[in-house]
Amino acid sequence: MSIIDRVPHSPGVLDDAGQKLLFTEARTVNNFAATVVDDDELSLIWDLARWSPSAANGQPLRVLFVRTREGKEPLIPHLDEGNRAKTLGAPVVAVLAYDVDFHEQMPAVFPARGEMLRVAFADQIEKRESVAAYNSALQTGVFLLAVRAAGLAAGPMAGFNRGGVDEEFFAGTSWRSHLVVNIGHPGTDPWFPRLPRVSVVDAVAWA
């Protein structure tokens, strides 16, 4: 009996090839091939990532796709020095951000209680910042899986000056950067040796 047969109402189980693509053989990439990543591929990433769960369906994650060298040039000075060459060599860079004014869209994305939530959050900027940061991080995990599902590889980087990036790209908006992700096809020798994973004994408890 398969696991699908053992789990009532199971939506299905990802096959071995899918599990390898998204999880067990997927790796963070440090250099990229020169292969062009087109707008249709980037649209597919977002079309998949946007189905991520988030609290009250608030969906605070925002994405800026930087597709040209000219677009990267204002970004590079704000990256840690060790990340600059990798970013220049990536076909596309996604600057992931969260929208601290996500509450304004609540009536549209959560019709049952959206207006109540919009009003409740209106004067709570610190709480909105906390909620947006946490939930955009949750959505970011799904975004990285979406990159892999689209047949591409990702190189996420937290080493950058957030204030500088926000001033450069998001001045006058309610977006706040939180991660930079290089995107493309793997280049030559793009991976470091696979590092160990925390053991199940140390990471999983049962109650």
Side-chain angles (χ1 to χ4, degrees), residues 3 20 32 34 42 57 61 68 72 77 92 99 102 117-118 131 141-142 146 189 205:
I3 189 172
K20 289 179 178 177
F32 295 86
L42 299 177
N57 201 34
L61 183 67
T68 66
K72 293 177 192 175
V92 177
D99 187 351
F102 71 91
L117 289 167
R118 188 192 69 78
V131 170
V142 177
D189 193 22

Side-chain angles (χ1 to χ4, degrees), residues 81-136:
E81 189 170 350
N83 292 330
R84 294 175 183 176
K86 291 186 288 188
T87 299
L88 283 172
V92 177
V93 183
V95 180
L96 303 189
Y98 54 84
D99 187 351
V100 294
D101 287 347
F102 71 91
H103 67 300
E104 295 291 354
Q105 70 193 10
M106 294 306 301
V109 299
F110 196 3
R113 290 188 291 164
E115 181 58 24
M116 179 194 72
L117 289 167
R118 188 192 69 78
V119 172
F121 274 122
D123 296 323
Q124 300 189 60
I125 181 62
E126 290 186 5
K127 185 172 183 179
R128 293 206 315 269
E129 177 95 22
S130 175
V131 170
Y134 180 86
N135 282 276
S136 66

